[in-house]
Amino acid sequence: MTSDAPKRVRVHHLQAAKDKGDKLVMLTAYDAVTARIFDEAGVDMLLVGDSMGNTMHGYGTTLPVTLDEMLVAARAVAGAARHAFVVADLPFGTYEAGPEQALASAVRVMKETGVAAVKFEGGRRVARQVRALTDAGIPVVGHLGYTPQSENLLGGPRVQGRGEEASLRLREDALAIAEAGAVAIVLEMVPAPLAKEVTEIVGVPTIGIGAGAGCDGQVLVWVDMAGMTDWSPRFSKRFGEVGAALAAAAKAYADEVRAGTFPDDSHSFGA
Ligand code: KIV
């Protein structure tokens, strides 16, 4: 969104941004410290992504993330954000069984965290869940293309929607969840021309990650965006070298403690 962005981003502002052609900016956040920094930087949407399984917990995948872990992180992020529209992922195993399971999980997230919406993966197979939550007054963000919770079935992080049949499936999935009430759709690792086409045919905003510039907005995993790790995906970009800056700060601290120069008098209490 641009400088006339609202004080608090609400669901109708997402649609208004698409209609005006304003790009939506989304970043992941998993704790209050980073949420406050990103919120104050003017990020429109914060995603408490189950990528926390990879980035924060060292699980290697998103699959082990539990609803209880999500509740803790989502409460921290929602509590810190003053401006951004906060979205929490429904973890693997908390919505696939059907609308009842999805509703029970989403109600816990909404009651116990203060986020504005939930996100979960899938197209037509979860359209009934999208409808049930929407009918209950819970905004849903969809997630299509590469869906990390299905990484075992998809054979790892691979571009999705290549070829006529796969691209048709993706278009139909997007239309189905938009029709069921999704307020936005994340498109992950989708060929740029297909993501642009989906963006043009669905009424709701699309938010791309590895899906080219034709989406209505972009999302990145914050540790990739900030350069916290040695490796980041090809579609991501390092907008800083925060990992190196943090390591330098830790080393400077260690050096001063070992040299006996920290704490000095100005960082100590007198009698
Ligand atoms: O969990 C997450 O961070 C996500 C993004 C990759 C879109 O779902």
Side-chain angles (χ1 to χ4, degrees):
M1 284 183 206
T2 46
S3 50
D4 60 348
K7 216 167 154 40
R8 164 67 83 180
V9 180
R10 294 188 182 277
V11 70
H12 56 280
H13 296 125
L14 308 181
Q15 189 64 48
K18 178 179 178 104
D19 297 343
K20 276 170 63 185
D22 282 352
K23 293 283 187 189
L24 289 162
V25 180
M26 188 187 220
L27 265 184
T28 64
Y30 316 105
D31 60 69
V33 175
T34 53
R36 190 163 297 122
I37 292 170
F38 302 152
D39 192 64
E40 286 175 1
V43 168
D44 303 312
M45 303 172 78
L46 291 173
L47 171 62
V48 193
D50 59 0
S51 53
M52 75 168 84
N54 308 78
T55 57
M56 299 290 122
H57 300 319
Y59 296 157
T61 78
T62 62
L63 274 68
V65 174
T66 64
L67 189 56
D68 285 337
E69 287 170 331
M70 181 53 68
L71 292 171
V72 172
R75 196 178 302 126
V77 172
R82 297 282 165 270
H83 162 74
F85 185 87
V86 181
V87 182
D89 264 338
L90 291 189
F92 178 62
T94 68
Y95 62 93
E96 299 88 336
E100 255 181 55
Q101 186 198 28
L103 190 56
S105 302
V107 164
R108 279 203 69 192
V109 171
M110 301 306 286
K111 265 189 190 295
E112 297 179 34
T113 72
V115 301
V118 298
K119 172 169 90 55
F120 50 89
E121 300 178 1
R124 282 161 290 180
R125 71 181 169 90
V126 295
R128 287 185 315 129
Q129 284 88 321
V130 176
R131 170 53 59 204
L133 270 56
T134 305
D135 285 348
I138 302 171
V140 175
V141 175
H143 186 156
L144 296 172
Y146 177 63
T147 44
Q149 293 176 8
S150 304
E151 67 163 74
N152 293 302
L153 191 65
L154 298 175
R158 301 168 67 199
V159 175
Q160 302 295 312
R162 280 206 170 119
E164 208 170 308
E165 211 183 297
S167 68
L168 179 65
R169 266 205 310 273
L170 198 134
R171 282 196 296 271
E172 287 184 349
D173 280 337
L175 289 170
I177 56 173
E179 169 69 24
V183 298
I185 302 175
V186 168
L187 297 175
E188 179 165 356
M189 295 184 77
V190 173
L194 175 60
K196 186 167 184 297
E197 199 187 326
V198 170
T199 300
E200 285 162 3
I201 62 171
V202 290
V204 299
T206 60
I207 301 170
I209 173 163
C215 297
D216 297 307
Q218 297 292 325
V219 56
L220 283 179
V221 171
W222 87 259
V223 296
D224 297 335
M225 180 281 301
M228 289 291 285
T229 53
D230 294 341
W231 179 88
S232 31
R234 186 170 92 82
F235 57 74
S236 198
K237 180 172 169 182
R238 299 168 82 91
F239 288 85
E241 291 300 334
V242 180
L246 200 53
K251 187 174 179 315
Y253 163 66
D255 288 348
E256 289 199 23
V257 170
R258 288 182 186 125
T261 54
F262 178 84
D264 56 14
D265 286 351
S266 65
H267 296 96
S268 304
F269 299 108

